[in-house]
Amino acid sequence: MEKTIEVCYYTAWNHMDRYSCPDIKPVARLFKAFVLDADNLIPKIAPQAVKSAEILEGDGGVGTIKKINLGEGSEYSYVRHQIDGIDKDNFVYKYSMIEGDAISDKIEKISYETKLVASSDGGSVIKSTSNYHTKGDVEIKEEHVKAGKERAAGLFKIIESHLLTNPDAYN
């Protein structure tokens, strides 16, 4: 008797970026806006990027599944995120993009870790790591990563600008 076992091999491709927000102090303020209140703030200040966000499962903590409806300025309509970790004391947020038209059928998920740290001048630095988990041996195209990086940088700048023009927000 012959038994067939199907094995899926996953490979990961890693990419790290660093963004500086020298005028946003303290780091906790940026974390509140960029992570803890992102579902409310981003649709208000960047509706072209994110139309709305809704919790599908969970209470907002680890394991929560969110549907992010993307704005008119996006080539995609939605993504689903799963929260993998939130460390409010060390300003670390981990989540995975698990579904949506932004993920091809060759990608299992994209995991992100965002860590906010104080810069030497007292401002904030955003360190973001992306891990692409592919189905099989798939090449991740640099232009795909670059486009995502540019969208993220643009969103960081919008949030930074909002915090600078609203100095009492998220204190």
Side-chain angles (χ1 to χ4, degrees), residues 58-91:
D59 61 3
V62 174
T64 294
I65 307 266
K66 297 181 186 183
K67 180 177 182 186
I68 313 298
N69 296 299
L70 303 173
E72 300 297 323
S74 176
E75 62 189 281
Y76 305 113
S77 61
Y78 82 99
V79 294
R80 285 196 182 171
H81 290 175
Q82 177 175 322
I83 298 175
D84 300 323
I86 301 174
D87 183 342
K88 295 177 186 177
D89 296 326
N90 294 301
F91 312 114

Side-chain angles (χ1 to χ4, degrees), residues 12 22 25 69 97 100 130 132:
K25 302 168 187 175
N69 296 299
M97 186 185 305
S130 307
Y132 290 72

